């Protein structure tokens, strides 16, 4: 299987609890390598643009407010089949349904404040990486 890239966000519930290192360690232990990382405070435009696919969902406004409620850490992760590997270590969207040992099962607060974002396809990974990073900010 090929080494590929995916996009990750450590969400405001994690920066607030000072567990960005713990989250990153779980990603690294799963076999993912952080090849780009920065801590930012999302603007409304960034949060709405990033989650634009969810614009019609009932939770959209709350999600945008949550993503702006504190700093986040945006990251590019590299590994074998990185999109699927990251989704596996993240666990299900709702932590109540997530497998034991996953980031969301062990650390998430709720279905909204669920600690991490991860791209859901290679195509979206490329779009999401380009949304936050210039090519020269990614060092593999
Ligand atoms: P995932 O992050 O697992 O890919 P989605 O893309 O479906 O999940 O949703 C994006 C984000 O929106 C979730 O990670 C979560 O923060 C939030 N979210 C999803 N479903 C709900 C819901 N039913 N109520 C509140 N927030 C939700
Ligand atoms: Mg998603």
């Amino acid at each position: 299987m090929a080494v590929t890239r995916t996009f990750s966000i450590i969400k405001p519930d994690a920066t607030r609890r000072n567990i960005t290192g713990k989250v990153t360690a779980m990603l690294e232990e799963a076999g993912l390598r952080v090849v780009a990382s920065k801590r930012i405070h999302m603007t409304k435009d960034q949060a709405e643009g990033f989650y634009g696919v969810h614009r019609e969902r009932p939770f959209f406004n709350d999600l945008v407010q949550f993503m702006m409620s504190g700093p986040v850490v945006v990251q590019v992760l590299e590994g074998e089949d990185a999109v699927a590997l990251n989704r596996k270590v993240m666990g299900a969207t709702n932590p109540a349904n997530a497998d034991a040992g996953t980031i969301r099962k062990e650390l998430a607060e709720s279905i909204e404040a669920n600690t991490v974002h991860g791209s859901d396809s290679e195509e979206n990974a490329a779009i999401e990486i380009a949304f936050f990073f210039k090519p020269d900010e990614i060092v593999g």
Side-chain angles (χ1 to χ4, degrees):
M1 211 168 293
V3 172
T4 59
R5 287 177 176 174
T6 190
F7 177 73
S8 167
I9 305 177
I10 304 178
K11 295 185 179 184
D13 64 284
T15 58
R16 177 170 46 76
R17 287 178 288 156
N18 200 27
I19 56 169
T20 64
K22 191 179 284 189
V23 173
T24 302
M26 290 175 82
L27 296 169
E28 290 177 343
E29 279 157 20
L32 292 157
R33 179 178 296 269
V34 179
V35 296
S37 183
K38 58 187 171 190
R39 185 173 171 111
I40 62 168
H41 203 134
M42 275 199 203
T43 63
K44 192 155 195 272
D45 280 353
Q46 281 177 314
E48 287 182 347
F50 183 76
Y51 278 119
V53 61
H54 295 308
R55 194 171 286 278
E56 304 306 323
R57 307 277 284 276
F59 57 81
F60 178 72
N61 287 331
D62 280 351
L63 176 60
V64 167
Q65 288 305 316
F66 167 62
M67 292 303 288
M68 296 167 55
S69 69
V72 300
V73 180
V74 292
Q75 297 187 312
V76 181
L77 308 176
E78 200 171 79
E80 294 279 338
D81 199 7
V83 169
L85 181 54
N86 185 39
R87 295 293 304 197
K88 190 169 173 218
V89 67
M90 285 165 61
T93 307
N94 185 346
N97 301 331
D99 290 341
T102 62
I103 292 170
R104 284 167 164 171
K105 185 65 170 189
E106 303 304 323
L107 300 175
E109 292 184 322
S110 67
I111 189 170
E112 177 180 79
N114 60 4
T115 310
V116 278
H117 165 85
S119 308
D120 60 7
S121 68
E122 302 257 336
E123 187 189 1
N124 284 335
I127 293 168
E128 292 173 0
I129 288 168
F131 196 89
F132 286 105
F133 289 98
K134 299 191 186 84
D136 69 0
E137 293 178 310
I138 304 165
V139 184

